[in-house]
Coordinates of all heavy atoms in Angstrom, one line a residue:
F1 N 157.3 94.3 4.5 CA 157.3 94.8 5.9 C 157.5 96.3 5.9 O 158.6 96.7 5.4 CB 158.4 94.0 6.7 CG 158.4 94.4 8.1 CD1 157.5 93.9 9.0 CD2 159.4 95.2 8.6 CE1 157.5 94.2 10.3 CE2 159.4 95.5 10.0 CZ 158.5 95.0 10.8
F2 N 156.5 97.0 6.4 CA 156.6 98.5 6.4 C 156.6 99.0 7.8 O 155.8 98.4 8.6 CB 155.5 99.1 5.6 CG 155.6 98.8 4.1 CD1 154.8 97.8 3.6 CD2 156.5 99.5 3.3 CE1 154.9 97.5 2.2 CE2 156.6 99.2 2.0 CZ 155.8 98.2 1.4
L3 N 157.3 99.9 8.1 CA 157.3 100.6 9.4 C 156.5 101.9 9.2 O 156.8 102.6 8.2 CB 158.7 100.9 10.0 CG 159.5 99.7 10.3 CD1 160.9 100.1 10.8 CD2 158.8 98.9 11.5
R4 N 155.6 102.2 10.1 CA 154.9 103.5 10.0 C 155.0 104.2 11.3 O 155.1 103.6 12.4 CB 153.5 103.3 9.5 CG 152.7 102.6 10.5 CD 151.3 102.4 10.0 NE 150.6 101.6 10.9 CZ 149.3 101.8 11.3 NH1 148.7 102.8 10.8 NH2 148.8 101.0 12.2
Q5 N 155.0 105.5 11.2 CA 155.0 106.4 12.4 C 153.7 106.3 13.1 O 152.7 106.2 12.5 CB 155.3 107.8 11.9 CG 156.7 108.0 11.3 CD 157.8 107.8 12.3 OE1 157.6 108.1 13.5 NE2 158.9 107.4 11.8
P6 N 153.7 106.3 14.4 CA 152.5 106.3 15.2 C 151.7 107.6 14.9 O 152.3 108.7 14.8 CB 152.9 106.2 16.6 CG 154.3 106.5 16.7 CD 154.9 106.3 15.3
S7 N 150.4 107.5 14.8 CA 149.6 108.6 14.6 C 149.6 109.5 15.8 O 149.6 109.0 17.0 CB 148.2 108.2 14.3 OG 147.3 109.3 14.3
P8 N 149.6 110.8 15.7 CA 149.5 111.7 16.8 C 148.2 111.6 17.6 O 148.1 112.0 18.7 CB 149.7 113.1 16.3 CG 149.4 113.0 14.8 CD 149.7 111.6 14.4
H9 N 147.2 111.0 16.9 CA 145.9 110.9 17.6 C 145.7 109.6 18.3 O 144.7 109.3 18.9 CB 144.8 111.0 16.5 CG 144.9 112.3 15.7 ND1 144.6 113.5 16.3 CD2 145.2 112.6 14.4 CE1 144.7 114.5 15.4 NE2 145.2 113.9 14.3
T10 N 146.8 108.7 18.2 CA 146.7 107.4 18.9 C 147.0 107.6 20.4 O 147.9 108.3 20.8 CB 147.8 106.5 18.3 OG1 147.6 106.4 16.9 CG2 147.6 105.1 18.9
H11 N 146.1 107.0 21.2 CA 146.3 107.0 22.6 C 147.3 105.9 23.1 O 147.1 104.8 22.8 CB 145.0 106.9 23.3 CG 145.1 106.8 24.8 ND1 145.5 107.9 25.6 CD2 145.0 105.7 25.7 CE1 145.5 107.5 26.9 NE2 145.2 106.2 26.9
T12 N 148.3 106.3 23.7 CA 149.3 105.3 24.2 C 149.0 105.2 25.7 O 148.9 106.1 26.5 CB 150.7 105.7 24.0 OG1 150.9 107.0 24.6 CG2 151.1 105.8 22.5
P13 N 148.9 103.9 26.2 CA 148.6 103.7 27.6 C 149.8 104.1 28.4 O 150.9 104.0 28.0 CB 148.3 102.2 27.7 CG 148.9 101.6 26.5 CD 149.0 102.7 25.4
P14 N 149.6 104.6 29.6 CA 150.7 105.0 30.5 C 151.4 103.7 30.9 O 150.9 102.6 31.0 CB 150.0 105.6 31.7 CG 148.6 105.1 31.7 CD 148.3 104.8 30.3
S15 N 152.7 103.9 31.1 CA 153.5 102.8 31.6 C 153.6 102.8 33.1 O 153.6 103.9 33.7 CB 154.9 102.9 31.0 OG 155.6 104.0 31.4
F16 N 153.7 101.7 33.7 CA 153.7 101.5 35.2 C 155.0 100.8 35.6 O 155.4 99.9 34.9 CB 152.5 100.7 35.7 CG 151.2 101.4 35.4 CD1 150.4 101.0 34.3 CD2 150.7 102.4 36.2 CE1 149.2 101.7 34.1 CE2 149.5 103.0 36.0 CZ 148.7 102.6 34.9
S17 N 155.5 101.2 36.7 CA 156.6 100.5 37.3 C 156.3 100.4 38.8 O 155.8 101.4 39.4 CB 157.9 101.1 37.0 OG 158.0 102.4 37.6
L18 N 156.6 99.3 39.4 CA 156.4 99.1 40.8 C 157.7 99.3 41.6 O 158.7 98.8 41.3 CB 155.9 97.6 41.1 CG 154.6 97.2 40.4 CD1 154.3 95.8 40.6 CD2 153.5 98.1 40.9
D19 N 157.6 100.2 42.5 CA 158.7 100.6 43.3 C 158.3 100.6 44.7 O 157.5 101.4 45.2 CB 159.2 102.0 42.9 CG 160.5 102.4 43.7 OD1 161.1 101.5 44.2 OD2 160.8 103.6 43.7
F20 N 158.8 99.6 45.5 CA 158.4 99.4 46.8 C 159.4 100.0 47.8 O 159.4 99.8 49.0 CB 158.1 97.9 47.2 CG 157.0 97.3 46.4 CD1 157.2 96.5 45.4 CD2 155.7 97.7 46.7 CE1 156.1 95.9 44.7 CE2 154.6 97.2 46.0 CZ 154.8 96.3 45.0
S21 N 160.5 100.6 47.3 CA 161.5 101.1 48.1 C 161.0 102.1 49.1 O 161.5 102.2 50.3 CB 162.7 101.7 47.3 OG 162.2 102.8 46.5
C22 N 160.0 102.9 48.8 CA 159.5 103.9 49.7 C 158.8 103.2 50.9 O 158.8 103.7 52.0 CB 158.5 104.9 49.0 SG 157.1 104.1 48.3
L23 N 158.2 102.1 50.6 CA 157.5 101.3 51.7 C 158.5 100.6 52.6 O 158.4 100.6 53.8 CB 156.5 100.3 51.1 CG 155.4 100.9 50.3 CD1 154.6 99.7 49.7 CD2 154.5 101.7 51.2
V24 N 159.5 100.0 52.0 CA 160.5 99.3 52.7 C 161.4 100.2 53.6 O 161.7 99.9 54.7 CB 161.4 98.5 51.8 CG1 162.6 97.8 52.5 CG2 160.6 97.4 51.0
S25 N 161.7 101.4 53.1 CA 162.5 102.3 53.9 C 161.8 102.8 55.1 O 162.4 103.2 56.1 CB 162.9 103.5 53.0 OG 161.8 104.3 52.6
K26 N 160.4 102.8 55.1 CA 159.7 103.3 56.3 C 159.5 102.2 57.3 O 159.0 102.4 58.4 CB 158.3 103.8 55.8 CG 158.4 105.1 55.0 CD 157.1 105.6 54.6 CE 157.2 106.8 53.7 NZ 155.9 107.2 53.2
M27 N 159.8 100.9 56.9 CA 159.6 99.8 57.8 C 160.8 99.7 58.7 O 161.9 100.0 58.4 CB 159.4 98.5 57.0 CG 158.2 98.5 56.2 SD 158.1 97.2 55.0 CE 158.2 95.8 56.0
A28 N 160.6 99.1 59.9 CA 161.7 98.9 60.8 C 162.5 97.7 60.2 O 162.0 96.9 59.5 CB 161.1 98.5 62.2
P29 N 163.8 97.7 60.5 CA 164.7 96.7 60.0 C 164.2 95.2 60.3 O 164.4 94.3 59.5 CB 166.1 97.0 60.6 CG 166.0 98.4 61.0 CD 164.6 98.7 61.3
S30 N 163.6 95.1 61.4 CA 163.1 93.7 61.8 C 161.9 93.3 60.9 O 161.6 92.1 60.8 CB 162.8 93.6 63.3 OG 161.7 94.6 63.5
D31 N 161.2 94.3 60.4 CA 160.0 94.0 59.5 C 160.4 93.8 58.1 O 159.5 93.5 57.3 CB 159.0 95.1 59.7 CG 158.4 95.2 61.0 OD1 158.5 94.2 61.8 OD2 158.0 96.3 61.4
R32 N 161.6 94.0 57.7 CA 162.0 93.9 56.3 C 162.3 92.4 55.9 O 163.4 92.1 55.4 CB 163.2 94.8 56.0 CG 162.9 96.2 56.1 CD 164.1 97.1 55.8 NE 163.9 98.4 56.2 CZ 164.8 99.3 56.3 NH1 166.0 99.0 56.0 NH2 164.5 100.5 56.7
K33 N 161.4 91.6 56.1 CA 161.6 90.2 55.8 C 160.6 89.7 54.8 O 159.5 90.1 54.7 CB 161.4 89.3 57.1 CG 162.3 89.7 58.2 CD 163.7 89.2 57.9 CE 164.6 89.4 59.1 NZ 165.9 88.9 59.0
F34 N 161.0 88.9 53.9 CA 160.2 88.4 52.8 C 159.6 87.0 53.2 O 160.3 86.2 53.9 CB 161.0 88.2 51.5 CG 161.4 89.5 50.9 CD1 162.6 90.0 51.1 CD2 160.5 90.2 50.1 CE1 163.0 91.2 50.5 CE2 160.9 91.4 49.5 CZ 162.1 91.9 49.7
K35 N 158.4 86.7 52.7 CA 157.9 85.4 52.7 C 158.1 84.7 51.4 O 157.7 85.2 50.4 CB 156.4 85.4 53.0 CG 156.0 85.9 54.4 CD 154.5 85.9 54.6 CE 154.1 86.4 56.0 NZ 152.7 86.3 56.2
V36 N 158.8 83.6 51.4 CA 159.3 82.9 50.2 C 158.6 81.5 50.2 O 158.6 80.8 51.2 CB 160.8 82.8 50.1 CG1 161.2 82.0 48.9 CG2 161.4 84.2 50.2
C37 N 158.1 81.1 49.0 CA 157.6 79.8 48.8 C 158.4 79.1 47.7 O 158.6 79.7 46.6 CB 156.1 80.0 48.3 SG 155.4 78.4 47.8
I38 N 158.9 77.9 48.0 CA 159.6 77.1 47.0 C 158.7 76.0 46.6 O 158.4 75.1 47.4 CB 160.9 76.6 47.6 CG1 161.8 77.7 48.2 CG2 161.7 75.7 46.6 CD1 162.4 78.6 47.2
C39 N 158.2 76.0 45.4 CA 157.4 74.9 44.9 C 158.3 73.9 44.3 O 159.2 74.2 43.5 CB 156.4 75.5 43.8 SG 155.3 76.7 44.4
G40 N 158.1 72.7 44.7 CA 159.0 71.6 44.3 C 160.3 71.6 45.2 O 161.4 71.3 44.8
G41 N 160.1 72.0 46.4 CA 161.2 72.2 47.3 C 161.9 71.0 47.8 O 163.0 71.0 48.4
A42 N 161.3 69.8 47.6 CA 161.9 68.5 48.0 C 162.7 67.9 46.8 O 163.3 66.8 47.0 CB 160.9 67.6 48.5
G43 N 162.7 68.5 45.7 CA 163.4 67.9 44.5 C 164.9 68.2 44.5 O 165.5 68.8 45.5
G44 N 165.5 67.8 43.5 CA 167.0 68.0 43.4 C 167.4 69.4 43.3 O 168.5 69.7 43.7
I45 N 166.7 70.2 42.7 CA 167.0 71.7 42.6 C 166.4 72.4 43.8 O 166.9 73.4 44.3 CB 166.5 72.3 41.3 CG1 167.3 71.6 40.1 CG2 166.7 73.8 41.2 CD1 166.8 72.0 38.8
G46 N 165.2 72.0 44.2 CA 164.5 72.7 45.3 C 165.1 72.6 46.6 O 165.1 73.5 47.4
Q47 N 165.8 71.5 46.9 CA 166.5 71.3 48.2 C 167.6 72.4 48.4 O 167.6 73.1 49.4 CB 167.0 69.9 48.4 CG 165.9 68.9 48.7 CD 166.5 67.5 49.0 OE1 167.6 67.4 49.3 NE2 165.6 66.5 48.8
P48 N 168.6 72.5 47.5 CA 169.6 73.5 47.7 C 169.1 74.9 47.6 O 169.5 75.8 48.3 CB 170.7 73.2 46.6 CG 170.0 72.2 45.7 CD 168.9 71.6 46.4
L49 N 168.1 75.1 46.8 CA 167.4 76.4 46.7 C 166.8 76.8 48.0 O 166.9 77.9 48.5 CB 166.4 76.5 45.5 CG 165.7 77.8 45.3 CD1 166.7 78.9 45.0 CD2 164.7 77.7 44.2
S50 N 166.1 75.8 48.6 CA 165.5 76.1 49.9 C 166.5 76.4 51.0 O 166.3 77.3 51.8 CB 164.7 74.8 50.3 OG 163.6 74.6 49.4
M51 N 167.6 75.7 50.9 CA 168.7 76.0 51.9 C 169.3 77.4 51.7 O 169.5 78.1 52.7 CB 169.8 75.0 51.8 CG 170.9 75.2 52.8 SD 172.3 74.1 52.6 CE 173.1 74.7 51.1
L52 N 169.5 77.8 50.5 CA 170.0 79.1 50.2 C 169.0 80.2 50.7 O 169.4 81.2 51.2 CB 170.4 79.3 48.7 CG 171.5 78.5 48.3 CD1 171.7 78.6 46.7 CD2 172.8 79.0 48.9
M53 N 167.7 80.0 50.4 CA 166.7 80.9 50.8 C 166.6 81.0 52.3 O 166.4 82.1 52.9 CB 165.3 80.6 50.2 CG 165.2 80.8 48.7 SD 165.2 82.6 48.4 CE 166.7 82.8 47.6
A54 N 166.7 79.9 53.0 CA 166.6 79.8 54.5 C 167.8 80.5 55.1 O 167.6 81.1 56.2 CB 166.5 78.4 55.0
M55 N 168.9 80.5 54.5 CA 170.1 81.2 55.0 C 170.2 82.7 54.8 O 171.0 83.4 55.3 CB 171.4 80.5 54.5 CG 171.5 79.0 55.0 SD 172.8 78.1 54.3 CE 174.2 79.1 54.7
D56 N 169.3 83.1 53.8 CA 169.3 84.6 53.5 C 168.7 85.4 54.6 O 167.6 85.0 55.1 CB 168.5 84.8 52.2 CG 168.8 86.1 51.6 OD1 169.1 87.1 52.3 OD2 168.6 86.3 50.4
D57 N 169.4 86.4 55.0 CA 168.9 87.3 56.1 C 167.6 88.0 55.8 O 166.9 88.5 56.7 CB 169.9 88.3 56.5 CG 171.2 87.6 57.2 OD1 171.0 86.5 57.7 OD2 172.3 88.2 57.1
R58 N 167.3 88.2 54.5 CA 166.1 88.9 54.1 C 164.9 88.1 54.1 O 163.8 88.6 53.9 CB 166.4 89.6 52.7 CG 167.5 90.6 52.7 CD 167.8 91.0 51.3 NE 168.5 89.8 50.7 CZ 169.0 89.8 49.5 NH1 168.8 90.9 48.7 NH2 169.5 88.8 49.0
V59 N 165.0 86.8 54.3 CA 163.8 85.9 54.3 C 163.4 85.6 55.7 O 164.2 85.2 56.6 CB 164.2 84.5 53.6 CG1 163.1 83.6 53.7 CG2 164.6 84.8 52.2
G60 N 162.2 86.0 56.0 CA 161.6 85.8 57.4 C 160.8 84.5 57.5 O 160.8 83.9 58.6
E61 N 160.2 84.0 56.4 CA 159.4 82.8 56.4 C 159.6 82.1 55.1 O 159.5 82.6 54.1 CB 157.9 83.1 56.7 CG 157.1 81.9 56.8 CD 155.6 82.2 57.1 OE1 155.4 83.3 57.7 OE2 154.8 81.4 56.7
L62 N 159.9 80.8 55.2 CA 160.1 80.0 54.0 C 159.1 78.8 54.1 O 159.0 78.1 55.1 CB 161.6 79.4 54.0 CG 161.9 78.4 52.9 CD1 161.9 79.2 51.6 CD2 163.2 77.8 53.2
S63 N 158.4 78.7 53.0 CA 157.4 77.6 52.8 C 157.9 76.6 51.7 O 158.2 77.1 50.6 CB 156.1 78.1 52.4 OG 155.6 79.0 53.4
V64 N 158.1 75.4 52.1 CA 158.5 74.3 51.2 C 157.3 73.5 50.8 O 156.7 72.9 51.6 CB 159.6 73.4 51.8 CG1 160.1 72.4 50.8 CG2 160.8 74.3 52.3
Y65 N 157.0 73.6 49.5 CA 155.8 72.8 48.9 C 156.3 71.7 48.0 O 157.3 72.0 47.2 CB 154.9 73.8 48.1 CG 154.0 74.6 48.9 CD1 154.4 75.8 49.4 CD2 152.7 74.2 49.0 CE1 153.5 76.6 50.1 CE2 151.8 75.0 49.7 CZ 152.2 76.2 50.3 OH 151.3 76.9 51.0
D66 N 155.8 70.6 48.1 CA 156.1 69.5 47.1 C 154.9 68.5 47.2 O 154.1 68.5 48.1 CB 157.4 68.9 47.4 CG 158.0 68.4 46.1 OD1 157.3 67.9 45.2 OD2 159.3 68.4 46.0
L67 N 155.0 67.5 46.3 CA 154.0 66.5 46.2 C 154.2 65.5 47.4 O 155.4 65.2 47.7 CB 154.0 65.8 44.9 CG 153.7 66.6 43.7 CD1 153.9 65.8 42.4 CD2 152.3 67.2 43.8
T68 N 153.2 64.9 47.9 CA 153.4 63.9 48.9 C 154.0 62.6 48.4 O 154.5 61.8 49.2 CB 152.0 63.5 49.6 OG1 151.1 63.1 48.6 CG2 151.5 64.7 50.4
V69 N 154.0 62.3 47.1 CA 154.5 61.1 46.5 C 156.0 61.3 46.1 O 156.6 60.4 45.5 CB 153.7 60.7 45.3 CG1 152.3 60.3 45.7 CG2 153.7 61.8 44.2
S70 N 156.6 62.5 46.5 CA 158.0 62.7 46.1 C 158.9 61.8 46.9 O 158.5 61.3 48.0 CB 158.4 64.2 46.3 OG 158.2 64.5 47.6
A71 N 160.1 61.5 46.4 CA 161.1 60.6 47.1 C 161.4 61.1 48.5 O 161.6 60.4 49.4 CB 162.3 60.5 46.2
V72 N 161.6 62.4 48.6 CA 161.9 63.1 49.9 C 160.7 63.9 50.3 O 160.4 64.8 49.5 CB 163.2 63.9 49.8 CG1 163.5 64.6 51.2 CG2 164.4 63.1 49.4
P73 N 160.1 63.7 51.4 CA 158.9 64.6 51.7 C 159.3 66.0 52.1 O 160.4 66.2 52.5 CB 158.3 63.9 52.9 CG 159.3 63.0 53.5 CD 160.3 62.7 52.4
A74 N 158.4 66.9 51.8 CA 158.7 68.3 52.2 C 159.0 68.5 53.6 O 159.8 69.4 54.1 CB 157.6 69.2 51.7
E75 N 158.3 67.7 54.5 CA 158.5 67.8 55.9 C 160.0 67.4 56.3 O 160.5 68.0 57.2 CB 157.6 66.9 56.7 CG 156.1 67.3 56.6 CD 155.4 66.9 55.3 OE1 156.0 66.1 54.5 OE2 154.3 67.4 55.0
G76 N 160.6 66.5 55.6 CA 162.0 66.1 55.8 C 162.9 67.2 55.5 O 163.9 67.5 56.2
V77 N 162.6 68.0 54.4 CA 163.5 69.1 54.0 C 163.4 70.2 55.0 O 164.4 70.8 55.4 CB 163.1 69.6 52.6 CG1 163.9 70.8 52.2 CG2 163.3 68.5 51.6
A78 N 162.1 70.5 55.5 CA 161.9 71.5 56.5 C 162.6 71.1 57.8 O 163.2 72.0 58.5 CB 160.5 71.7 56.8
T79 N 162.6 69.9 58.2 CA 163.3 69.4 59.4 C 164.8 69.6 59.3 O 165.5 70.1 60.2 CB 163.0 67.9 59.7 OG1 161.6 67.8 59.8 CG2 163.7 67.5 61.0
D80 N 165.4 69.3 58.1 CA 166.8 69.5 57.9 C 167.2 71.0 57.9 O 168.2 71.3 58.5 CB 167.2 68.9 56.5 CG 167.2 67.4 56.5 OD1 167.2 66.8 57.6 OD2 167.2 66.8 55.4
L81 N 166.3 71.8 57.4 CA 166.6 73.2 57.4 C 166.5 73.8 58.8 O 167.1 74.9 59.1 CB 165.7 74.0 56.4 CG 165.9 73.6 54.9 CD1 164.8 74.3 54.1 CD2 167.3 74.0 54.5
A82 N 165.7 73.2 59.6 CA 165.5 73.7 61.0 C 166.8 73.6 61.8 O 166.9 74.3 62.8 CB 164.3 73.0 61.7
H83 N 167.7 72.7 61.4 CA 169.0 72.5 62.1 C 170.0 73.6 61.8 O 171.0 73.7 62.4 CB 169.6 71.2 61.8 CG 168.7 70.0 62.3 ND1 168.5 69.8 63.6 CD2 168.0 69.1 61.6 CE1 167.7 68.7 63.8 NE2 167.4 68.3 62.6
L84 N 169.7 74.4 60.7 CA 170.6 75.5 60.4 C 170.5 76.7 61.4 O 169.4 76.9 61.9 CB 170.3 76.0 58.9 CG 170.5 75.0 57.8 CD1 170.1 75.6 56.5 CD2 172.0 74.6 57.7
N85 N 171.6 77.4 61.5 CA 171.5 78.6 62.4 C 171.1 79.8 61.5 O 171.8 80.4 60.8 CB 172.9 78.9 62.9 CG 172.9 80.0 64.0 OD1 171.8 80.4 64.4 ND2 174.1 80.5 64.3
M86 N 169.8 80.0 61.5 CA 169.2 81.0 60.7 C 168.0 81.7 61.4 O 167.6 81.3 62.4 CB 168.6 80.4 59.4 CG 167.6 79.3 59.7 SD 167.1 78.5 58.2 CE 165.9 77.4 59.0
G87 N 167.6 82.8 60.8 CA 166.5 83.6 61.5 C 165.2 83.4 60.8 O 164.2 84.0 61.3
S88 N 165.1 82.6 59.8 CA 163.8 82.4 59.1 C 163.1 81.2 59.7 O 163.6 80.2 60.2 CB 164.0 82.2 57.6 OG 164.8 81.1 57.4
R89 N 161.8 81.3 59.6 CA 160.9 80.2 60.0 C 160.6 79.3 58.8 O 160.2 79.9 57.8 CB 159.6 80.8 60.6 CG 158.5 79.9 61.0 CD 157.4 80.6 61.6 NE 156.2 79.7 61.6 CZ 155.0 80.1 61.4 NH1 154.7 81.3 61.2 NH2 154.0 79.2 61.5
V90 N 160.7 78.0 58.9 CA 160.5 77.1 57.8 C 159.3 76.3 58.1 O 159.1 75.7 59.2 CB 161.7 76.2 57.6 CG1 161.5 75.2 56.5 CG2 163.0 77.0 57.5
R91 N 158.4 76.2 57.1 CA 157.2 75.4 57.1 C 157.1 74.5 55.9 O 157.6 74.9 54.9 CB 155.9 76.3 57.2 CG 155.9 77.2 58.4 CD 154.8 78.2 58.3 NE 153.5 77.6 58.2 CZ 152.4 78.2 58.0 NH1 152.4 79.5 57.9 NH2 151.3 77.5 58.0
A92 N 156.5 73.3 56.1 CA 156.4 72.4 55.0 C 155.0 72.1 54.7 O 154.1 72.1 55.6 CB 157.1 71.1 55.4
F93 N 154.7 71.9 53.4 CA 153.4 71.6 52.9 C 153.5 70.6 51.8 O 154.4 70.6 51.0 CB 152.7 72.9 52.3 CG 152.5 74.0 53.3 CD1 153.5 75.0 53.4 CD2 151.4 74.0 54.1 CE1 153.3 76.0 54.3 CE2 151.2 75.0 55.0 CZ 152.2 76.0 55.1
G94 N 152.6 69.6 51.9 CA 152.5 68.5 50.9 C 151.2 68.5 50.2 O 150.2 68.8 50.7
L95 N 151.3 68.3 48.9 CA 150.1 68.3 48.0 C 149.9 66.9 47.6 O 150.8 66.1 47.3 CB 150.4 69.2 46.7 CG 149.9 70.6 46.8 CD1 150.7 71.4 47.7 CD2 150.0 71.2 45.4
D96 N 148.6 66.5 47.6 CA 148.2 65.1 47.2 C 148.0 65.1 45.7 O 147.7 66.0 45.0 CB 146.9 64.7 47.9 CG 147.1 64.5 49.4 OD1 148.2 64.1 49.8 OD2 146.1 64.8 50.1

């Protein structure tokens, strides 16, 4: 195993980083809401995760996706979350 120094003639691709803080800072506070999708939202881990996401002030819309053959339908989870005092909109989707 040998380490060699990079050649000075080798082209290194530029590195990129995504920084959306400049866009978010220009938005009104009411527009700073995320759209979140929980895949498997009717399962044992997805239900509490969906509840935590729905209660977060930064989430404006929450989509709960799960299979229609699951023990608890995604529509039932969305109905339960609709009873919480929160500012996010909850929608349910079932996959066949």
Side-chain angles (χ1 to χ4, degrees):
F1 183 75
F2 294 99
L3 295 175
R4 62 183 179 137
Q5 295 292 330
S7 170
H9 304 290
T10 306
H11 174 70
T12 56
S15 61
F16 295 99
S17 64
L18 299 175
D19 182 18
F20 296 108
S21 61
C22 61
L23 298 175
V24 173
S25 63
K26 294 178 183 177
M27 296 166 59
S30 62
D31 294 337
R32 294 182 192 167
K33 302 285 184 176
F34 291 97
K35 291 183 179 181
V36 177
C37 171
I38 305 292
C39 297
I45 296 173
Q47 287 182 18
L49 179 61
S50 296
M51 183 184 70
L52 290 173
M53 288 290 110
M55 293 173 58
D56 194 336
D57 293 335
R58 296 170 291 183
V59 176
E61 183 177 333
L62 176 67
S63 298
V64 179
Y65 279 83
D66 211 326
L67 299 175
T68 55
V69 296
S70 61
V72 178
E75 291 81 10
V77 175
T79 302
D80 289 342
L81 294 175
H83 295 294
L84 296 175
N85 187 12
M86 59 185 180
S88 62
R89 176 178 166 215
V90 181
R91 298 174 58 187
F93 298 93
L95 267 67
D96 292 328

